[in-house]
Amino acid sequence: MKEKIEALRARFEAELSAAKTSETLEKLRVGYLGKKGSVTELLKGLKDVGAEEKRELGQHINALKKQVEERLAAQAEALKTAEENLLIASAEQYDVTLPVNEAQGSYHPITVVQRQLEEIFTSMGFTVEDYPEIVTDYECFEAVNVPKDHPARDMQDTFWLDNGQLLKTQTSAAQNAIMKKYGAPLRAIFPGRCFRNEATDASHENTFFQMEGMMIDKNISISNLIYFMKTMLSQVFERDIQVRLRPGFFPFVEPGFELDISCLICGGEGCPTCKHSGWLELCPCGMIHPNVLREGGIDPEEYTGFAFGLGLTRLVMMKYGVKDIRDLNSGNLKALSQFKHE
Ligand code: DAH
């Protein structure tokens, strides 16, 4: 019996060193230690030997059993590590220290200019306000001096919701709430997405951005308006910009103006871009109408203010020479990726 034990030990060692996968290891375990395994059979055979021998043989067989168990466990561990290493070696490798991929995303040019404007205005003491895109008729029109039957409504056809609300046609829709929130004095800008129900072409879109601004205090005059607009535009275009005001009608301001800037292409000499006038129309503005101040809870006898409704999308087109407004909403990476260095 002793020889049998030693032969089994030798056979096990040989088979173990040939086992290269966890499945063969498992087969070995069952073959030696399972219910009908060779070691188990040996143990069962003990019942046929005498008491004296039983003790000695029992010790030998148990030592073999322990050896088989330990050797199997060690081999299983070694195989597991080897298999994991193989998996790691075959997996895709990433080098996190490499420079970023060229195909990285970038900020949309409107976002870039909007943030630039926010920085300029906050440096001049303005707060930046966020406002919903879905508003009421009151917010968008009535509160800014455009009553229900006012003909100025014809200029801004929009998208109405079943519940009577609408997609805001102008950032002026936030004026009333902001006046009520802060009272006077007040300096705020409020950029936002606006919507109008109109046919699209190279210079018209149903979805575009504006940036509204308001400054209300004692003794605010048109010269304050001109100063802030000139400072802001010179910073945006990184050069000295000349501005001029022409009369313009908007129900929420009195007097109302169209603010023009000196042509960016010819510098005022006259060229096809500015239709040989030397000026480009950029920003409607004016002195806030007393009705609008009053509706916002501010006494027009005590305070005055200016407001402007900068066409943010239009400004971006001018700054970067974008010819077709639709490129900005297209999601076309060929068009938009040009701005990735901004
Ligand atoms: N809300 C006007 C529009 O979209 C633009 C505008 C004009 C805004 C004059 C103003 C302003 O604040 O004073 O056509």
Side-chain angles (χ1 to χ4, degrees), residues 155-156 169-173 175 190 194 196 208 210-214 249-253 255-257 283-288 306-310:
M155 297 192 294
Q156 299 186 6
T169 58
Q170 50 185 0
T171 41
S172 310
Q175 284 195 6
F190 23 114
C194 300
R196 293 203 192 159
F208 55 95
Q210 288 187 341
M211 200 192 75
E212 191 100 354
M214 284 180 111
F249 173 72
F250 303 95
F252 19 86
V253 280
F257 307 102
C283 179
C285 53
M287 299 305 293
I288 305 171
F306 67 76
F308 61 87
L310 183 70

Side-chain angles (χ1 to χ4, degrees), residues 133-137 140-141 158-160 164-168:
E133 289 168 359
I134 295 175
V135 295
T136 59
D137 184 277
C140 201
F141 301 117
T158 188
F159 302 97
W160 294 86
Q165 290 184 302
L166 58 129
L167 300 185
K168 74 174 175 219

Side-chain angles (χ1 to χ4, degrees), residues 27 39 60 63 68 79 82 93 113 124 160 174 191 194 197 206 210 233 241 246 253 259 271 282 289 295 306-307 324:
K27 272 190 197 145
V39 178
H60 281 297
V68 170
L79 270 181
Q93 300 283 311
V113 176
M124 299 193 290
W160 294 86
C194 300
N197 183 10
N206 50 33
Q210 288 187 341
L233 293 167
I241 297 283
R246 283 180 293 117
V253 280
L259 182 137
C271 69
L282 185 66
H289 197 289
E295 192 66 28
F306 67 76
D324 193 323

Side-chain angles (χ1 to χ4, degrees), residues 139-181:
E139 292 164 286
C140 201
F141 301 117
E142 284 178 72
V144 287
N145 203 29
V146 187
K148 283 235 150 54
D149 51 0
H150 197 288
R153 287 201 176 207
D154 292 348
M155 297 192 294
Q156 299 186 6
D157 187 12
T158 188
F159 302 97
W160 294 86
L161 309 186
D162 288 341
N163 67 4
Q165 290 184 302
L166 58 129
L167 300 185
K168 74 174 175 219
T169 58
Q170 50 185 0
T171 41
S172 310
Q175 284 195 6
N176 186 263
I178 288 167
M179 283 187 284
K180 284 177 178 159
K181 181 173 168 195

